[in-house]
Amino acid sequence: MSPLSRARNAAALLTLPVLLTACAAAGTEPADAGPPRPGGTLRLGISSAPDCIDPQQIATNASINVGRQLVDSLTDQDPKTGEIKPWLAEKWESNTDSTAFTFHLRAGVTFSDGTPVDAAAVKTSFDGIKALGTKAQLGYGYLAAYKTSTVVDPRTVRLEFSSPSAQFLQASSTVSLGVLAPAAFGKTPEQRCQGTGLIGSGPFVFESLKQNQEIVLAKRKGYTWGSALFKHQGEAYLDKIDYKIVPEPGVRTGSLASGQLDAATDIQPVDEPQFTGGGFSENIRPNPGVVFNLHANTTRGVLTDEKVRQAVLKGVDRAEVVNTVLTPNYKAATSILGSATPLHSDLSQQLAYDQKGATALLDGDGWVPGPDGIRVKNGQRLSASVVFSPVFNQNRSVLELVQQQLRKIGFDLRIEQHTTAETTQIQLSGNYDFLWYNVTRADPDILRGQFSTKAGNRSKLTPGNPLDAALDAQSSTVDAAKRKPSADEAQKLIIDHAYAVPVFELTQVVALSSKAHAVGFEASSRLQLFDAWLS
């Protein structure tokens, strides 16, 4: 993911492929705004220029916050419960091993070029995403096992997979698998990235793009097929959305405070207090998916020793990180998955700060304090590096605090900052001790992309391990009750063996002027602007 929307971006860029605890968006919006009314242009400040706006190719937050408004998905996901709801599909079925999904489409839906959203168009769109390969940065992982689609009749399409893919039902709700018109595939992927031929069925249509300056979307006339989760039916309220690209956080917040913007994303912790009163408000939602964490390469140096990894896990004071570097809008990690992720397990007891326990583990393992306080064993220093890129503004500050915390147990954490591109290459090469990243997705299968030996395998585990078995089991059924035990087991194994050290949950903070209302989030904490309006 290129440096865009300060943090979720980390997720996308560090991963190619990448029901049910969830948090609704919190906020401070005034209750006396009156009834919603149509009209107006929302001037929305975003933190970086989208490298692409084709929903099927994008991976960064800034890009997704644009692309989400242009396309509809087969399904939608309830941010509160994680439940999958109707959108382009009225209903659906899957077979017993989750290798085939049949969708029954709504009647009367059209793309912005007037052509119908029918089974043939859905097949063309999914075949097109698969053909993009790794250019479909998130869809590539969601469709890794995709084989083919079959047009059963004009309003019924069946999608088939080569292996159990329970995760696909949630993936069908994401912008990455949003449906484009057949005519869109007559353009090159590069053309579509710039908006040329970008034909969806969504509530807004592409109007213009000025590189590194702004992107303008306009209301789709005649739109009447919104998601079952939208707060109103019919057309969107806004006439236009004008995304203003303002990379500097201080300039972005200053522009909002002075009335040059109606809303702004990626409000930094230091700037939050100025938008909690005086006519301003904030809309807040934690990201689902993998939290910011120190992901250990278990084949490197001192991290081959499980007791060392467990000591590091105990030696991180997550509450101090949130209270010192972040704000109360952020949460200390309670699992490797964020609390807004369906099937999240609360493992906060296992993640409690325990300096004495960490010290005892290292003492018992033969690590002795050296002259500078850093432990040694058989001439080896208790030290490991962490590779990170500054996609989230506070990353370095968080890691410097964690570095101080770990020195108290005699562990030397060396901090290595790289560009996003360099970090991605280091991750792919396996040449790291710890990786620092997060990945956003409202489904526990996100763990399979990072930890399975059949996928990312960032811990460099041996195939056939118990974690592989748990990750495979949770991917084999869409039934949340049947899926939960294996999702719980996967989270527990990751913490028990300290394959990763969770630290905090990323949070999206959007600030609004007194004119802007209902700038909301979908289940993946990306902006959903269908219900947004201006007073």
Side-chain angles (χ1 to χ4, degrees), residues 17-57:
V18 165
L19 223 301
L20 295 223
T21 310
C23 291
T28 56
E29 182 167 346
D32 59 355
R37 67 182 197 182
T41 297
L42 177 71
R43 299 165 301 167
L44 177 63
I46 59 176
S47 63
S48 53
D51 48 357
C52 178
I53 59 171
D54 176 7
Q56 297 181 352
Q57 297 183 66

Short mmCIF file of all heavy atoms in Angstrom, two decimals, residues 17-57:
data_model
loop_
_atom_site.label_atom_id
_atom_site.label_comp_id
_atom_site.label_asym_id
_atom_site.label_seq_id
_atom_site.Cartn_x
_atom_site.Cartn_y
_atom_site.Cartn_z
N PRO A 17 -2.15 -10.50 -0.45
CA PRO A 17 -3.50 -11.02 -0.37
C PRO A 17 -4.28 -10.27 0.69
O PRO A 17 -3.76 -10.04 1.72
CB PRO A 17 -3.33 -12.44 0.08
CG PRO A 17 -1.97 -12.61 0.54
CD PRO A 17 -1.18 -11.45 0.09
N VAL A 18 -3.95 -10.39 0.29
CA VAL A 18 -3.63 -9.83 1.42
C VAL A 18 -2.45 -10.30 1.37
O VAL A 18 -1.55 -10.39 0.92
CB VAL A 18 -4.49 -8.89 1.93
CG1 VAL A 18 -4.24 -8.67 3.10
CG2 VAL A 18 -5.54 -8.29 1.23
N LEU A 19 -20.66 -14.64 13.93
CA LEU A 19 -19.80 -13.67 13.50
C LEU A 19 -19.61 -12.72 14.53
O LEU A 19 -18.70 -12.19 14.30
CB LEU A 19 -20.12 -13.35 12.21
CG LEU A 19 -19.67 -13.07 10.97
CD1 LEU A 19 -19.08 -12.49 10.29
CD2 LEU A 19 -20.05 -13.38 9.89
N LEU A 20 -19.47 -12.94 17.39
CA LEU A 20 -19.21 -11.90 16.49
C LEU A 20 -19.17 -10.54 17.18
O LEU A 20 -20.18 -9.93 17.44
CB LEU A 20 -20.30 -11.70 15.62
CG LEU A 20 -20.86 -12.38 14.72
CD1 LEU A 20 -21.28 -12.05 13.59
CD2 LEU A 20 -20.82 -12.80 13.97
N THR A 21 -18.05 -10.16 17.48
CA THR A 21 -17.89 -8.96 18.28
C THR A 21 -17.51 -7.81 17.36
O THR A 21 -16.57 -7.92 16.63
CB THR A 21 -16.75 -9.16 19.27
OG1 THR A 21 -16.97 -10.39 19.93
CG2 THR A 21 -16.71 -8.06 20.29
N ALA A 22 -18.20 -6.71 17.44
CA ALA A 22 -17.84 -5.56 16.62
C ALA A 22 -18.24 -4.30 17.34
O ALA A 22 -19.10 -4.30 18.19
CB ALA A 22 -18.51 -5.64 15.27
N CYS A 23 -17.59 -3.20 16.97
CA CYS A 23 -17.90 -1.91 17.57
C CYS A 23 -18.50 -1.01 16.53
O CYS A 23 -17.96 -0.87 15.45
CB CYS A 23 -16.63 -1.24 18.11
SG CYS A 23 -15.95 -2.09 19.54
N ALA A 24 -19.60 -0.38 16.84
CA ALA A 24 -20.16 0.61 15.95
C ALA A 24 -19.32 1.87 16.04
O ALA A 24 -18.57 2.07 16.98
CB ALA A 24 -21.60 0.91 16.34
N ALA A 25 -19.48 2.71 15.04
CA ALA A 25 -18.74 3.98 15.07
C ALA A 25 -19.20 4.80 16.26
O ALA A 25 -20.37 4.94 16.54
CB ALA A 25 -18.99 4.73 13.77
N ALA A 26 -18.23 5.32 16.96
CA ALA A 26 -18.52 6.23 18.05
C ALA A 26 -18.31 7.64 17.55
O ALA A 26 -17.71 7.86 16.52
CB ALA A 26 -17.61 5.94 19.23
N GLY A 27 -18.79 8.62 18.29
CA GLY A 27 -18.56 9.97 17.84
C GLY A 27 -19.19 10.99 18.75
O GLY A 27 -19.82 10.65 19.74
N THR A 28 -19.04 12.24 18.36
CA THR A 28 -19.54 13.33 19.19
C THR A 28 -20.48 14.22 18.39
O THR A 28 -20.65 15.38 18.69
CB THR A 28 -18.36 14.18 19.70
OG1 THR A 28 -17.60 14.64 18.58
CG2 THR A 28 -17.47 13.38 20.61
N GLU A 29 -21.10 13.65 17.34
CA GLU A 29 -21.92 14.48 16.46
C GLU A 29 -23.14 15.02 17.20
O GLU A 29 -23.82 14.29 17.91
CB GLU A 29 -22.38 13.66 15.24
CG GLU A 29 -23.21 14.48 14.28
CD GLU A 29 -23.39 13.80 12.93
OE1 GLU A 29 -22.68 12.84 12.65
OE2 GLU A 29 -24.27 14.25 12.18
N PRO A 30 -23.46 16.30 17.04
CA PRO A 30 -24.63 16.88 17.70
C PRO A 30 -25.91 16.20 17.25
O PRO A 30 -26.03 15.76 16.11
CB PRO A 30 -24.60 18.34 17.23
CG PRO A 30 -23.23 18.59 16.73
CD PRO A 30 -22.72 17.27 16.24
N ALA A 31 -26.88 16.13 18.15
CA ALA A 31 -28.13 15.43 17.85
C ALA A 31 -29.18 16.37 17.28
O ALA A 31 -30.27 15.94 16.93
CB ALA A 31 -28.65 14.77 19.12
N ASP A 32 -28.91 17.68 17.16
CA ASP A 32 -29.93 18.64 16.77
C ASP A 32 -29.73 19.14 15.35
O ASP A 32 -30.10 20.27 15.01
CB ASP A 32 -29.92 19.82 17.76
CG ASP A 32 -28.56 20.52 17.81
OD1 ASP A 32 -27.63 20.03 17.15
OD2 ASP A 32 -28.46 21.54 18.51
N ALA A 33 -29.16 18.31 14.50
CA ALA A 33 -28.86 18.75 13.13
C ALA A 33 -30.11 18.84 12.27
O ALA A 33 -30.07 19.44 11.20
CB ALA A 33 -27.85 17.81 12.49
N GLY A 34 -31.22 18.24 12.72
CA GLY A 34 -32.43 18.25 11.93
C GLY A 34 -32.46 17.10 10.95
O GLY A 34 -31.52 16.30 10.88
N PRO A 35 -33.53 17.01 10.14
CA PRO A 35 -33.63 15.90 9.17
C PRO A 35 -32.63 16.08 8.04
O PRO A 35 -32.32 17.21 7.65
CB PRO A 35 -35.07 16.01 8.67
CG PRO A 35 -35.44 17.44 8.87
CD PRO A 35 -34.71 17.89 10.10
N PRO A 36 -32.13 14.97 7.48
CA PRO A 36 -31.21 15.06 6.35
C PRO A 36 -31.87 15.76 5.16
O PRO A 36 -33.07 15.66 4.96
CB PRO A 36 -30.91 13.59 6.01
CG PRO A 36 -31.22 12.84 7.26
CD PRO A 36 -32.36 13.57 7.90
N ARG A 37 -31.05 16.48 4.39
CA ARG A 37 -31.59 17.14 3.21
C ARG A 37 -30.61 16.95 2.05
O ARG A 37 -29.39 16.88 2.26
CB ARG A 37 -31.85 18.62 3.47
CG ARG A 37 -30.61 19.45 3.71
CD ARG A 37 -30.96 20.89 4.01
NE ARG A 37 -29.81 21.77 3.85
CZ ARG A 37 -29.85 23.07 4.09
NH1 ARG A 37 -30.97 23.64 4.50
NH2 ARG A 37 -28.76 23.81 3.93
N PRO A 38 -31.12 16.86 0.82
CA PRO A 38 -30.24 16.64 -0.32
C PRO A 38 -29.55 17.92 -0.78
O PRO A 38 -30.00 19.03 -0.49
CB PRO A 38 -31.21 16.12 -1.40
CG PRO A 38 -32.53 16.72 -1.03
CD PRO A 38 -32.54 16.82 0.47
N GLY A 39 -28.45 17.73 -1.52
CA GLY A 39 -27.77 18.84 -2.15
C GLY A 39 -26.40 19.12 -1.57
O GLY A 39 -26.05 18.66 -0.50
N GLY A 40 -25.62 19.89 -2.32
CA GLY A 40 -24.34 20.36 -1.83
C GLY A 40 -23.17 19.47 -2.19
O GLY A 40 -23.33 18.32 -2.62
N THR A 41 -21.97 20.02 -2.02
CA THR A 41 -20.71 19.32 -2.27
C THR A 41 -19.95 19.17 -0.97
O THR A 41 -19.63 20.17 -0.31
CB THR A 41 -19.85 20.09 -3.29
OG1 THR A 41 -20.53 20.17 -4.54
CG2 THR A 41 -18.50 19.39 -3.49
N LEU A 42 -19.64 17.95 -0.59
CA LEU A 42 -18.84 17.69 0.61
C LEU A 42 -17.38 17.85 0.25
O LEU A 42 -16.84 17.13 -0.60
CB LEU A 42 -19.10 16.27 1.11
CG LEU A 42 -18.27 15.82 2.32
CD1 LEU A 42 -18.72 16.56 3.58
CD2 LEU A 42 -18.34 14.32 2.52
N ARG A 43 -16.71 18.82 0.91
CA ARG A 43 -15.27 19.02 0.72
C ARG A 43 -14.55 18.22 1.81
O ARG A 43 -14.56 18.59 2.97
CB ARG A 43 -14.94 20.50 0.82
CG ARG A 43 -15.63 21.38 -0.23
CD ARG A 43 -15.55 22.85 0.13
NE ARG A 43 -16.16 23.10 1.44
CZ ARG A 43 -16.02 24.25 2.12
NH1 ARG A 43 -15.27 25.22 1.63
NH2 ARG A 43 -16.59 24.40 3.30
N LEU A 44 -13.94 17.12 1.38
CA LEU A 44 -13.36 16.14 2.30
C LEU A 44 -11.85 16.11 2.16
O LEU A 44 -11.32 15.76 1.10
CB LEU A 44 -13.96 14.76 2.02
CG LEU A 44 -13.43 13.58 2.83
CD1 LEU A 44 -13.73 13.76 4.31
CD2 LEU A 44 -14.04 12.28 2.33
N GLY A 45 -11.13 16.48 3.21
CA GLY A 45 -9.68 16.46 3.19
C GLY A 45 -9.15 15.06 3.48
O GLY A 45 -9.51 14.46 4.49
N ILE A 46 -8.31 14.54 2.60
CA ILE A 46 -7.70 13.22 2.80
C ILE A 46 -6.18 13.37 2.84
O ILE A 46 -5.63 14.35 2.35
CB ILE A 46 -8.13 12.21 1.72
CG1 ILE A 46 -7.74 12.69 0.31
CG2 ILE A 46 -9.63 11.97 1.80
CD1 ILE A 46 -8.06 11.68 -0.79
N SER A 47 -5.51 12.38 3.41
CA SER A 47 -4.11 12.55 3.78
C SER A 47 -3.11 12.27 2.68
O SER A 47 -1.93 12.58 2.83
CB SER A 47 -3.78 11.66 4.98
OG SER A 47 -3.93 10.31 4.63
N SER A 48 -3.53 11.66 1.59
CA SER A 48 -2.58 11.41 0.52
C SER A 48 -3.32 11.16 -0.78
O SER A 48 -4.50 10.87 -0.79
CB SER A 48 -1.67 10.23 0.85
OG SER A 48 -2.44 9.13 1.18
N ALA A 49 -2.59 11.26 -1.86
CA ALA A 49 -3.18 11.09 -3.19
C ALA A 49 -3.37 9.61 -3.48
O ALA A 49 -2.41 8.85 -3.45
CB ALA A 49 -2.28 11.72 -4.24
N PRO A 50 -4.59 9.18 -3.75
CA PRO A 50 -4.79 7.78 -4.14
C PRO A 50 -3.94 7.44 -5.36
O PRO A 50 -3.92 8.19 -6.34
CB PRO A 50 -6.29 7.73 -4.47
CG PRO A 50 -6.89 8.81 -3.64
CD PRO A 50 -5.87 9.91 -3.64
N ASP A 51 -3.21 6.34 -5.28
CA ASP A 51 -2.39 5.93 -6.41
C ASP A 51 -3.25 5.33 -7.52
O ASP A 51 -2.80 5.16 -8.65
CB ASP A 51 -1.32 4.92 -5.97
CG ASP A 51 -1.88 3.81 -5.11
OD1 ASP A 51 -3.10 3.83 -4.81
OD2 ASP A 51 -1.11 2.91 -4.72
N CYS A 52 -4.50 5.01 -7.17
CA CYS A 52 -5.42 4.37 -8.12
C CYS A 52 -6.82 4.53 -7.52
O CYS A 52 -6.97 4.55 -6.30
CB CYS A 52 -5.06 2.89 -8.27
SG CYS A 52 -6.17 1.94 -9.37
N ILE A 53 -7.85 4.66 -8.37
CA ILE A 53 -9.21 4.71 -7.82
C ILE A 53 -10.10 3.59 -8.33
O ILE A 53 -11.30 3.57 -8.06
CB ILE A 53 -9.88 6.08 -8.09
CG1 ILE A 53 -9.96 6.38 -9.58
CG2 ILE A 53 -9.14 7.18 -7.34
CD1 ILE A 53 -10.81 7.61 -9.88
N ASP A 54 -9.52 2.64 -9.07
CA ASP A 54 -10.28 1.46 -9.49
C ASP A 54 -10.52 0.58 -8.27
O ASP A 54 -9.55 0.05 -7.69
CB ASP A 54 -9.51 0.68 -10.55
CG ASP A 54 -10.19 -0.62 -10.97
OD1 ASP A 54 -11.33 -0.87 -10.52
OD2 ASP A 54 -9.57 -1.39 -11.72
N PRO A 55 -11.76 0.40 -7.84
CA PRO A 55 -12.02 -0.38 -6.61
C PRO A 55 -11.41 -1.77 -6.62
O PRO A 55 -11.06 -2.30 -5.57
CB PRO A 55 -13.56 -0.45 -6.58
CG PRO A 55 -14.01 0.76 -7.34
CD PRO A 55 -12.99 0.93 -8.43
N GLN A 56 -11.25 -2.35 -7.80
CA GLN A 56 -10.73 -3.71 -7.87
C GLN A 56 -9.21 -3.78 -7.74
O GLN A 56 -8.66 -4.87 -7.55
CB GLN A 56 -11.20 -4.38 -9.17
CG GLN A 56 -12.72 -4.52 -9.23
CD GLN A 56 -13.20 -5.21 -10.50
OE1 GLN A 56 -12.42 -5.45 -11.43
NE2 GLN A 56 -14.48 -5.53 -10.55
N GLN A 57 -8.53 -2.65 -7.84
CA GLN A 57 -7.06 -2.65 -7.75
C GLN A 57 -6.53 -1.98 -6.49
O GLN A 57 -5.38 -2.21 -6.12
CB GLN A 57 -6.47 -1.92 -8.97
CG GLN A 57 -6.77 -2.56 -10.31
CD GLN A 57 -6.10 -1.83 -11.45
OE1 GLN A 57 -4.87 -1.79 -11.55
NE2 GLN A 57 -6.90 -1.22 -12.32
#
